[in-house]
Amino acid sequence: MKEFVLSYVKEHQHNWKTQPLIIEGEDFQDCIMLVFGKPRTAVFTHIDSIGFTVRYDNKLVMIGGPETETGFILVGEDSKGKIETKLIADPNAGFLCCDFQRVIDAGTELVFKSEFVETGESVQSCYLDNRLGVFVALQLAETIENGVLVFSCYEEHGGGTVPFLVKHLWENYKIRQHLVCDITWATEGVKPGEGVAISMRDSRIPRKSFVEKVISIAKEHSIPFQIEVEGSGGSDGRELQASPYPVDWIFIGAAEENVHSPYEKVNKIDIKTMLKLYDVLVNKL
Amino acid sequence: MKEFVLSYVKEHQHNWKTQPLIIEGEDFQDCIMLVFGKPRTAVFTHIDSIGFTVRYDNKLVMIGGPETETGFILVGEDSKGKIETKLIADPNAGFLCCDFQRVIDAGTELVFKSEFVETGESVQSCYLDNRLGVFVALQLAETIENGVLVFSCYEEHGGGTVPFLVKHLWENYKIRQHLVCDITWATEGVKPGEGVAISMRDSRIPRKSFVEKVISIAKEHSIPFQIEVEGSGGSDGRELQASPYPVDWIFIGAAEENVHSPYEKVNKIDIKTMLKLYDVLVNKL
Amino acid sequence: MKEFVLSYVKEHQHNWKTQPLIIEGEDFQDCIMLVFGKPRTAVFTHIDSIGFTVRYDNKLVMIGGPETETGFILVGEDSKGKIETKLIADPNAGFLCCDFQRVIDAGTELVFKSEFVETGESVQSCYLDNRLGVFVALQLAETIENGVLVFSCYEEHGGGTVPFLVKHLWENYKIRQHLVCDITWATEGVKPGEGVAISMRDSRIPRKSFVEKVISIAKEHSIPFQIEVEGSGGSDGRELQASPYPVDWIFIGAAEENVHSPYEKVNKIDIKTMLKLYDVLVNKL
């Protein structure tokens, strides 16, 4: 993913309104930051994915929280070659394995096989969470004048890169405003096709004053949005909240159906309003 | 709460023995620190509260860990006006809502309605945890010569301000000693009216050498206290423990009955001994 | 433990190839760091232990996650003298106490009584986790030329020292490579006597590029090792991962049977290969 983003940037940046400073390398592990102009706001999109690690005898443990349904197709590669296999899951017994014909190297990572389906109305694929966040960030790159686009890792599994990213952003640019550009759940309160979700809370609660500022900007610009209020779930916001800097954060993103499965599905209206809202917020905040 | 504390300080500080440096503003979010003299010790009192966030269709999610009993009266305000409503809870089903006659704006915060009852022996109200900690800190302000009074946020829900507060205190004053001035639970080992509780542990364990120092000072000054030993629960101490500074912390506070309900009740002897112990510790530690 | 390590160092360091800088004192609480030469890699061994805190009426709460079986012998000391007593446990009811003939001071710590058994093949005792890690580090001290040996605390219970240790190591030496020198579980995939375990993951997942580097060095040097892949469990690696520095970490250690009981048992082959691998890694990484 890092290589993909870097090569995309190299290929397209000559068309961008503002040329970014590209921050990456050993001190940033597998993360990238694109710094445009004089930034006041950072947009966090995570580039890691949920999946599985092979244990012994083709048993599996989870990376993040994937859906586990017998029959899901998994792909990967180990020292003996390419792997395509089926998931076998007994959630009640907490049992997970795959039915590959040979023993896969312990430690091998398996991910859902992509079956991309696009219609006039929606896109469907595994890993829209958070490839769509990355898509929005890279679209934003074309016109953004001031701001940082951050591509983070480990969001799906325990965190660990946001702490050094937010440290760098605070110490070098004193950035206080962080937008978590990620995909959320369709629920009874956030429905596909009714606009990007602005999350007032999940397991963590962002500061009310910042949430209200974001909502009033969305209203002023007549961007269709939905309010999300959840009691669980988390994002890069969790580590932004825990950081030793007085920063604000908020989660803003389209909602998907079939969360963390091979069939994540997002309505295009929600993607378009997500992009539109980010475009406005990066300029107005 | 921030405004209340700031205006209280402005109104009363002319009577205080020592004039504090008042630290607040954008870099400290909704927190305040009062720095007196040459501080060696900081007293942490949290100013946030438990409660509920309204979800969709008047369903609720918790802020922190409130007691949930059908009939508790909740108050708040949204775009359509003031709200006073009853909690309806089915803890087994994990179901929480309120019975208000119209749909409340999603994201609205509701808190317990205060019914303050004072007798010769005790005070009873919601939010004694941690308004009493704030009370003790503001009493302490009258005579303290050296020390910091810290008013923190997010203690009840995931934390997030202690990291930047302790960073400031370490980098500017090298403060190593932190007292968590908060309210705990009455139990079979900590009984109302038998003195302030000194906690030897909750879910986290403070350093033995520091705990023993505090206990020996309490004994020397003949302040009635009780030892608390719990296996669960937490406080601002959790984030002080996790901070990247070699600081010590200990929880010291009165115990309450009816924890996190509208009927939190504290014996006045425990409040008086709490204040007395803080007064001694800030001077002697 | 701190005093033991410091006095061991003082007694033996004249025989060591390189003289270390000894970092300890108030700014490092009960931790010690030995810095040899120009370090690129740090070896973390925790010196704390699981056990029990006495509550009221000889009831107990756990420090870390000890096995609790009625009959285990516990030892300690309080204001009234030495204590040797038996654990009484009803895990289903979550009930823990000890059967001592008098009431033990609340807050007293009890630990498993050591019954050390050594055979040609193995060692057995409580607290091999992590006295064996300390043993390996102190053996390593004899020949190490460049590197840091870190003796940390609170690994078994909530953490809290790794944050300031890794901060010091980053700010003073820019150390990026951290090896967690600790004891793991014998499982169906990691068997006693088949070599040190290199953990590809537990509840946290270290960076693949670093894990692969370590494995390839172990292979090059023909050191017998086993790959561990777990979905749960944790170590000092958890806090290294969460730190605001772009550091890598990996858990490498012998596996034990009877984890967190008085009868932890480790095969000597696994100890020898553990030491050998650390010796190679500190030089080659």
Side-chain angles (χ1 to χ4, degrees), chain A residues 58 78-83 99-105:
Chain A
N58 291 356
D78 73 357
S79 67
K80 290 163 213 109
K82 299 239 181 220
I83 298 157
D99 73 348
F100 205 49
Q101 65 270 22
R102 63 168 174 83
V103 174
I104 300 170
D105 293 350

Side-chain angles (χ1 to χ4, degrees), chain A residues 85-269:
Chain A
T85 182
K86 267 187 196 146
L87 179 65
I88 298 171
D90 181 350
N92 295 325
F95 180 83
L96 279 182
C97 76
C98 65
D99 73 348
F100 205 49
Q101 65 270 22
R102 63 168 174 83
V103 174
I104 300 170
D105 293 350
T108 302
E109 286 167 9
L110 300 178
V111 293
F112 291 134
K113 186 177 180 181
S114 174
E115 297 177 66
F116 194 85
V117 179
E118 185 174 354
T119 68
E121 195 185 59
S122 68
V123 289
Q124 180 181 299
S125 169
C126 52
Y127 303 124
L128 293 186
D129 168 6
N130 191 25
R131 299 298 187 269
L132 270 182
V134 174
F135 170 77
V136 166
L138 293 176
Q139 293 294 109
L140 213 51
E142 298 180 6
T143 54
I144 187 172
E145 289 176 69
N146 302 297
V148 186
L149 303 178
V150 182
F151 301 88
S152 68
C153 298
Y154 279 105
E155 191 271 349
E156 296 289 7
H157 196 100
T161 65
V162 169
F164 62 74
L165 295 168
V166 65
K167 181 176 194 285
H168 186 88
L169 292 175
W170 177 263
E171 291 180 352
N172 290 276
Y173 307 100
K174 267 219 155 184
I175 288 181
R176 293 171 191 284
Q177 304 181 123
H178 297 277
L179 309 178
V180 179
C181 179
D182 198 350
I183 301 301
T184 186
W185 313 327
T187 60
E188 74 267 35
V190 177
K191 286 163 191 154
E194 301 193 1
V196 58
I198 298 177
S199 181
M200 295 193 73
R201 61 168 289 183
D202 49 32
S203 68
R204 293 298 188 283
I205 306 175
R207 274 214 303 165
K208 197 161 191 168
S209 50
F210 188 59
V211 173
E212 283 171 355
K213 202 168 157 188
V214 164
I215 290 174
S216 78
I217 292 174
K219 281 182 179 163
E220 265 171 48
H221 290 78
S222 305
I223 297 167
F225 70 91
Q226 303 178 75
I227 291 292
E228 177 183 82
V229 181
E230 291 294 330
S232 61
S235 71
D236 277 344
R238 191 182 55 82
E239 286 182 291
L240 290 163
Q241 172 78 12
S243 83
Y245 309 101
V247 298
D248 280 313
W249 63 274
I250 185 167
F251 182 108
I252 300 169
E256 70 179 15
E257 298 173 275
N258 312 321
V259 172
H260 282 193
S261 82
Y263 314 112
E264 300 182 2
K265 188 175 167 187
V266 181
N267 188 294
K268 289 184 176 176
I269 290 170

Side-chain angles (χ1 to χ4, degrees), chain C residues 39-57:
Chain C
R40 299 177 310 278
T41 303
V43 175
F44 275 72
T45 60
H46 72 87
I47 59 176
D48 60 314
S49 304
I50 53 169
F52 301 88
T53 315
V54 180
R55 228 169 149 247
Y56 324 114
D57 303 325

Side-chain angles (χ1 to χ4, degrees), chain B residues 268-285:
Chain B
K268 289 184 176 176
I269 291 170
D270 301 329
I271 306 173
K272 280 176 199 153
T273 50
M274 181 177 175
L275 179 55
K276 215 165 166 183
L277 182 52
Y278 271 96
D279 188 43
V280 166
L281 287 174
V282 163
N283 284 310
K284 299 291 172 186
L285 272 175

Side-chain angles (χ1 to χ4, degrees), chain C residues 26-129:
Chain C
E26 210 186 350
D27 274 3
F28 302 92
Q29 295 192 348
D30 303 309
C31 304
I32 306 166
M33 295 194 279
L34 306 177
V35 181
F36 297 83
K38 289 182 197 298
R40 299 177 310 278
T41 303
V43 175
F44 275 72
T45 60
H46 72 87
I47 59 176
D48 60 314
S49 304
I50 53 169
F52 301 88
T53 315
V54 180
R55 228 169 149 247
Y56 324 114
D57 303 325
N58 290 357
K59 291 203 187 86
L60 306 176
V61 286
M62 298 195 282
I63 301 170
E67 280 300 299
T68 55
E69 202 171 285
T70 295
F72 283 172
I73 298 178
L74 305 178
V75 294
E77 189 169 2
D78 73 359
S79 68
K80 290 162 212 111
K82 299 238 182 222
I83 297 155
E84 179 164 337
T85 182
K86 267 188 194 144
L87 179 64
I88 297 171
D90 180 350
N92 294 325
F95 180 83
L96 279 182
C97 77
C98 66
D99 74 348
F100 205 49
Q101 65 270 21
R102 61 168 174 83
V103 173
I104 301 170
D105 293 349
T108 302
E109 287 168 10
L110 300 178
V111 293
F112 292 134
K113 185 177 182 182
S114 176
E115 297 176 68
F116 194 86
V117 179
E118 185 174 357
T119 68
E121 196 185 56
S122 68
V123 288
Q124 180 181 299
S125 170
C126 52
Y127 304 123
L128 293 186
D129 167 7

Side-chain angles (χ1 to χ4, degrees), chain B residues 11 28 217:
Chain B
E11 206 178 319
F28 301 92
I217 292 174

